Amino acid sequence: MRGWSLLACGTGTLVLAWLLGRRELLNVAVFLVAAPLVAAAALRVGLPRLQVRRSFTAHHATANRATAGRECTVVVEIAPPAAGIGQGPAPGAAQQSSRGPLRLTETLPAGAGPSPSAIVSVPGTFRYGLRPPRRGLYAVGPLTVESTDPFGLARRTVALGGPSPLTVLGPLPRVETGPLPGLRGGTDATAFRGAASADSDDAATREYRDGDPMRRVHWGTTARRGRLMVRQEQPRTPRRATVVVDRSAAAFVRGSAASGHAPSDRPEPVGHFPSVPGTTTACFDWAVAAAAGIGASLARLGYAVELLDRHGDPLAASSPTASDPARAVFEGAGAVDELRCVLAALGLEAEAEQPAGSGRGAGGSGPDWSGSDRIASGRYGSARYGMGSPVVLLTGRLDEAGARAWVDSLGPDRAVSVLLASGLPEESASAVRVFRENGWRAAAAAPNVPLEQAWLALDTWSPLPPSPRPTAPSHVPTPRHPTPPPRPTTPPRPRDGAHPGQAP
């Protein structure tokens, strides 16, 4: 402001000197105009370059990761190249003055609050707290640097360095899944239990060596071979579980811009830096958080968790935050963090990602999509890990046709647990009935229902009674969160028509 005032005074003095013909006024005018111009030039010419390094400090061991709703500390270091920050000047670094303090202002993503600023001398450090509002991949920066000359006649504001990506992990709800059933009537351990035979016994034994304990001697093979044989130590095959996350927009978005959206179906952006932001809804966020919580619980129980989309492809291939887009199975140390990282910036399926032939169903007042076009048959965990692999399906609003399509795709002999996230759970009552009629565990939940409560509803909700398919779509009104009575048991059928308790 001071420099502009001098320029204005110098211009007025120059006009006055020309009108009055006074040479001494001309000298004053030249000085007033030249002083701010020289000061502005001094900020740009012959000054050292600065570099900036930004780091994030949170409870995660991996850098550049934070959790939605939790505060992390951002440390911004600024210094000349000679100070040795980082690996050299940051891309786009600008020439700045190191004589005196600089005003630094950080650029934050939308919704993260006001941009923090501070006055820092060079070299110096700038710290501030950042609380990301929601999951996604966001850009923090660039750093805006404001410098002035010693007399305050000129000011220069530039963007120093480039933005830094910050992966914001979604919430991790607590849920105790317990061991999942694998085959109908059994557990997933039955899928990995080999049949006992003479050939398998021979393959699992070796000759006795000095020091082998006698309890490992396999006497059957010893008798056949005529020499002492012992059982070999075989590694235990890890249990596997498949978590399928439905990303179709038709299952989570209802309404239009003209008619309006329900609060649970209103599309909202999710950070996809540096590409175009993705789209999410409250129901889809609930499904993503459920995938993280269920996957973490299964990983703690020793499962190898396979994460797939509705097409049977690795979900990591659709995530901008996945370290390995081809990875589908998460197990061992760090499995939970990597799984959450894949889910961090996951958005609804865009039109370019939908396979040919998919789309909305025609006509009808119910859900406006065709379930039979949504599923790629035979590409789920059954083809890779056998029919004993349990499946957890997380989807949105479904109709009866969509539920039958899922049953046909995954197979009726699979043990599947289905959670349907819907703003109005009663709209998916027919889908829940179809799943339960086929022996699956299924429940619908609103996005404000805790995951623990929804998981318990898989077993506590009574299955809807079978009913013939209606000629027109109809909805079965049910309470949102009923407390059902215990499931009745069928008494054994007496022999020869005798009444229970009577002798045949």
Side-chain angles (χ1 to χ4, degrees):
M1 189 68 184
R2 188 179 303 173
W4 288 109
S5 300
L6 288 181
L7 282 176
C9 293
T11 303
T13 304
L14 183 62
V15 174
L16 187 62
W18 180 74
L19 292 176
L20 299 179
R22 303 296 299 265
R23 187 178 183 85
E24 56 275 15
L25 291 179
L26 181 61
N27 295 334
V28 174
V30 171
F31 172 79
L32 294 177
V33 172
L37 296 180
V38 172
L43 293 178
R44 297 177 178 270
V45 179
L47 296 180
R49 297 172 62 88
L50 297 180
Q51 58 180 339
V52 62
R53 184 178 66 179
R54 186 181 293 104
S55 59
F56 303 90
T57 304
H59 64 283
H60 294 280
T62 306
N64 292 8
R65 289 186 187 177
T67 302
R70 294 187 181 181
E71 185 172 291
C72 67
T73 302
V74 185
V75 181
V76 182
E77 300 175 77
I78 182 172
I85 294 182
Q87 301 298 323
Q95 290 182 343
Q96 295 294 332
S97 173
S98 60
R99 296 174 297 178
L102 305 176
R103 177 174 291 278
L104 308 181
T105 303
E106 186 76 294
T107 304
L108 299 183
S115 298
S117 62
I119 298 177
V120 179
S121 300
V122 180
T125 303
F126 174 32
R127 296 174 180 266
Y128 64 92
L130 174 62
R131 189 182 297 272
R134 64 185 311 160
R135 64 180 181 89
L137 180 61
Y138 298 98
V140 179
L143 186 68
T144 301
V145 181
E146 180 182 298
S147 60
T148 61
D149 67 288
F151 301 100
L153 300 179
R155 179 182 303 169
R156 188 186 181 194
T157 302
V158 296
L160 182 61
S164 300
L166 175 63
T167 300
V168 180
L169 307 180
L172 185 64
R174 183 73 179 180
V175 61
E176 295 296 337
T177 59
L180 297 180
L183 287 172
R184 191 70 58 81
T187 61
D188 59 330
T190 60
F192 308 101
R193 188 178 301 157
S197 64
D199 293 338
S200 61
D201 288 343
D202 290 340
T205 57
R206 60 172 174 81
E207 291 188 10
Y208 177 85
R209 300 171 186 169
D210 291 339
D212 288 337
M214 293 302 295
R215 66 176 180 273
R216 291 175 53 189
V217 175
H218 196 283
W219 297 108
T221 306
T222 298
R224 288 193 303 270
R225 295 289 186 90
R227 57 184 183 275
L228 204 58
M229 304 293 292
V230 297
R231 292 185 298 269
Q232 299 188 73
E233 291 291 340
Q234 296 182 353
R236 181 185 177 187
T237 304
R239 298 181 295 179
R240 297 181 184 269
T242 301
V243 178
V244 181
V245 180
D246 185 3
R247 298 175 52 234
S248 61
F252 293 98
V253 180
R254 181 181 59 177
S256 62
S259 60
H261 298 275
S264 59
D265 298 327
R266 184 178 297 113
E268 298 177 357
V270 57
H272 273 202
F273 172 79
S275 58
V276 179
T279 303
T280 186
T281 64
C283 288
F284 185 68
D285 280 342
W286 189 92
V288 170
I294 295 172
S297 178
L298 295 176
R300 287 192 295 265
L301 291 175
Y303 283 90
V305 182
E306 183 187 27
L307 201 58
L308 302 178
D309 62 10
R310 69 186 180 104
H311 308 297
D313 298 323
L315 197 64
S318 306
S319 173
T321 53
S323 57
D324 183 6
R327 184 177 180 182
V329 180
F330 301 85
E331 57 183 330
V336 176
D337 287 340
E338 289 301 322
L339 188 146
R340 295 181 66 192
C341 190
V342 170
L343 298 170
L346 196 67
L348 291 173
E349 202 173 59
E351 294 183 1
E353 299 179 80
Q354 298 179 359
S358 65
R360 296 178 179 268
S365 59
D368 54 355
W369 58 272
S370 175
S372 59
D373 293 335
R374 323 174 55 235
I375 304 164
S377 178
R379 299 183 62 187
Y380 289 95
S382 59
R384 295 173 180 167
Y385 304 124
M387 292 299 294
S389 174
V391 176
V392 178
L393 172 61
L394 299 168
T395 182
R397 186 178 61 256
L398 284 179
D399 61 359
E400 186 173 343
R404 296 188 185 278
W406 276 112
V407 173
D408 294 340
S409 175
L410 295 177
D413 293 330
R414 296 294 293 273
V416 182
S417 303
V418 187
L419 286 178
L420 300 93
S422 175
L424 297 175
E426 57 270 19
E427 291 185 347
S428 299
S430 60
V432 173
R433 174 177 54 80
V434 170
F435 289 140
R436 289 180 173 267
E437 286 177 350
N438 286 272
W440 292 10
R441 304 162 67 223
N448 59 345
V449 174
L451 177 59
E452 186 79 29
Q453 179 180 345
W455 186 263
L456 293 176
L458 291 174
D459 295 319
T460 58
W461 280 23
S462 297
L464 297 175
S467 60
R469 298 183 182 181
T471 56
S474 61
H475 300 289
V476 180
T478 58
R480 292 196 175 188
H481 311 296
T483 304
R487 182 180 300 178
T489 58
T490 303
R493 180 178 298 177
R495 297 181 179 179
D496 299 331
H499 189 273
Q502 297 179 355

